[in-house]
Amino acid sequence: MNLPNKLTTFRVILIPFFVFFLLTDLVGNWGKWIALAIFIVASLTDFLDGYIARKYNLVTNFGKFMDPLADKLLVCSAMICLIEKGAIPSWIVTIIIAREFIISGFRLIASDNGVVIAASYWGKFKTVFQMVMICLMIADIAQIAIVTTVVMYIALALTIISLVDYLIKNKDVMKDTK
């Protein structure tokens, strides 16, 4: 297993620890800070594994499949936990998760037709804003609550924009289905 794939696997392994520290009071107020540190480390591995894989030509089928799955697991589990903590409305999380299912399904159809749909810049911006939003919500700093809210709505807007962008750019994929 190459380094990018190890980083992806490490990110998946971090998720239960992240959820545990975010949702339990076993370590008092330290839990959210430990969860935040884990989330930041996991988020950084997302950027690092892709960079290393492309730079050193270490792209594998495992990485193509697991990297986006690991990202979705990390971000979705974080947002679901944040619903429980009252930090984010469930309707926003529902839209974000629905977008992920739609794009995953769309990519599956494209793959069956021999088409690879690469990540767009809108999708990358969406991911960055979602990760920043999650960090801000975990930190829960009252003095920047308005910033957190603005980032949340930007992340939501980018989620919708990236969905529309994927669908428009790849509308021909659906024409080939029978």
Side-chain angles (χ1 to χ4, degrees):
M1 185 178 286
N2 65 30
L3 180 58
N5 291 344
K6 287 178 182 175
L7 290 170
T8 297
T9 302
F10 179 63
R11 185 162 63 256
V12 172
I13 291 168
L14 286 176
I15 294 169
F17 295 98
F18 162 73
V19 170
F20 172 80
F21 283 107
L22 186 59
L23 294 181
T24 62
D25 296 341
L26 293 179
V27 289
N29 195 38
W30 284 100
K32 80 173 186 178
W33 299 111
I34 295 169
L36 179 59
I38 292 170
F39 186 83
I40 290 169
V41 168
S43 297
L44 291 175
T45 67
D46 176 28
F47 297 107
L48 193 57
D49 66 7
Y51 172 78
I52 293 169
R54 286 184 296 277
K55 182 172 181 172
Y56 296 103
N57 197 26
L58 297 172
V59 176
T60 64
N61 287 334
F62 176 87
K64 287 179 191 176
F65 174 75
M66 280 305 296
D67 181 62
L69 181 59
D71 298 343
K72 287 172 182 47
L73 288 170
L74 177 65
V75 170
C76 291
S77 63
M79 288 189 294
I80 291 167
C81 290
L82 289 166
I83 291 171
E84 184 171 325
K85 296 189 74 60
I88 188 169
S90 59
W91 68 270
I92 290 177
V93 175
T94 301
I95 290 170
I96 291 171
I97 291 175
R99 181 256 184 222
E100 299 305 333
F101 274 103
I102 291 166
I103 295 301
S104 294
F106 202 67
R107 282 188 168 140
L108 187 60
I109 292 168
S111 176
D112 284 349
N113 292 318
V115 177
V116 175
I117 299 177
S120 73
Y121 284 108
W122 287 112
K124 292 178 185 201
F125 291 143
K126 174 232 14 141
T127 300
V128 169
F129 269 87
Q130 285 177 354
M131 289 179 172
V132 170
M133 172 192 77
I134 290 165
C135 289
L136 291 171
M137 288 179 174
I138 293 168
D140 191 26
I141 301 169
Q143 293 83 353
I144 61 166
I146 188 72
V147 173
T148 303
T149 301
V150 168
V151 170
M152 177 183 69
Y153 283 110
I154 292 171
L156 177 63
L158 289 171
T159 297
I160 295 166
I161 290 166
S162 68
L163 171 64
V164 171
D165 180 60
Y166 274 111
L167 296 177
I168 289 172
K169 285 182 179 174
N170 299 289
K171 64 183 176 289
D172 294 338
V173 169
M174 295 304 288
K175 290 179 183 176
D176 294 337
T177 60
K178 295 178 183 173

